[in-house]
Amino acid sequence: MSHSFLELEQRMLGDLYTTREVMDNLEVLCDDFGSRWGGSTGERLAAEFFRRKFSEYGLSQPRLEPFPYVGWVRGPASLRVVAPIERELPCISLPMSPARLVEAQFVDLRDGAPADFEAHAADLHGRIAMVCSRPPRGLNRTVHRSEKYQRSALGGAAAFLYVNQYAGYGPETGSIANDREAHMAGISISLETGELLRRLQRRYGPLRLRLETTDECPSLTSWNVAADLQGTSRPDEWLVLGCHYDGHDIAQGAHDPASGAVAVLESARLLARHATGALGCGIRFVLFGIEETGLLGARRYVAQHQEELDSIRFMLNLDAAGGPGRKGVLVNRWPELNSFFERCAEQMAIDIPVGQRTSAYSDHYPFFLEGVPTAMMGDPGGVNTGRGFDHTAYDTLDKVELADLREATSVAARLMLRMSQEEPWPVRRRSHAAVEALLASEPSLEGQIIRERMEALYEGGRMKTEE
Ligand SMILES: [Zn+2]
């Protein structure tokens, strides 16, 4: 690595660690714009804010790329025990839930492992499926909320009742369908309310529940926000550094996703200010809209930029990257890149743990499906025990540390710089056949098979079941 290259990084890091621009931006996003939920005023203000900042930082072509989608507006939800006793319980509906009135007994499917659904195959039909948010133990993969919902629906449940695994965090939210109204109502309750239901059932026998949702799914428009830094020696090749900016409507979404969104923005500021003219290939910075109801911005980006996908060297997803823990890379099965990242870590004099795995639940996935080399920032040594306060009302700015924002930015910006200069770049886009083979062999993607089964049953807004 040349002497001037190291000096350039030293100037970037000196700038990063002696200003608090990255935290100032997070405060604007969270305290001024709120959740930035799709369809809210804050969402539009956030998109405009990113474009304005890109322009202020000197990036080329800061732009909003609009796309239409099916949104969701929360209405009041209610949950009541109606027999053999009566009791009103607090709840919220889950994003993309339709407006429904359902009265039925509930079935406790515990952590929602596939085995739990098999065990209740005979008594789930027509009942309310109660499922905990906890990752089931003893599996070689995690089971996402949407898979738990889909298994409930495929099992003939009348509604979905999601219970938080954590005490003191209230209900956990999260969408139950992508870009359309779900066909079955979903509501969410706290651990404490779930425990109360279990106790009441033990004392009074089978409980009859009545739940009502009043949500709406209007047609809306959102925006991906993008801006570029031109490359010099490889102007036709690109890196993509991205993160979504929409948070869930019940919180600030400070950790998920805004801590990563501001790291994308800060990387753009530092690279534009200190590395313009020193890049090999170009870098495109993208803040995606509407990740929380099905990666819609990223899916739309990939669809709108098909002809450019061959020229993307790498896409790094910073979703929620500015939280605690080590800032490594979770690479989506590109072992050819291990030695590159190891060399970077050594030259950068920091720890960059590298893991090789796949995951379908953030904005890198639509790129992954197209064969583009992708990774997400994260700790490959971390064990997934659940979301913590993410997706609850307590994902607020006070949980995010400036030191973590700086560390995430530092790793991302330095890796972008080095990736743009690396010659030859060791990987290129996978064929569709190679992607298909990978999809079939990855245990972590099993949930996608359930999703496809669900999509196949769903046509024109109605379930094609025998009922
Ligand atoms: Zn996120």
Side-chain angles (χ1 to χ4, degrees), residues 244 256-257 291-292 319-320 362:
H244 68 103
D256 177 14
E291 188 265 1
E292 293 293 3
D319 192 357
S362 188

Side-chain angles (χ1 to χ4, degrees), residues 243-248 255-258 291-292 295 317-320 361-363 376 387 390-391:
C243 179
H244 68 103
Y245 63 92
D246 62 313
H248 273 289
H255 172 245
D256 177 14
E291 188 265 1
E292 293 293 3
L295 324 178
N317 179 7
L318 296 191
D319 192 357
Y361 300 105
S362 188
D363 291 324
M376 179 146 146
R387 291 183 183 275
D390 283 357
H391 286 211

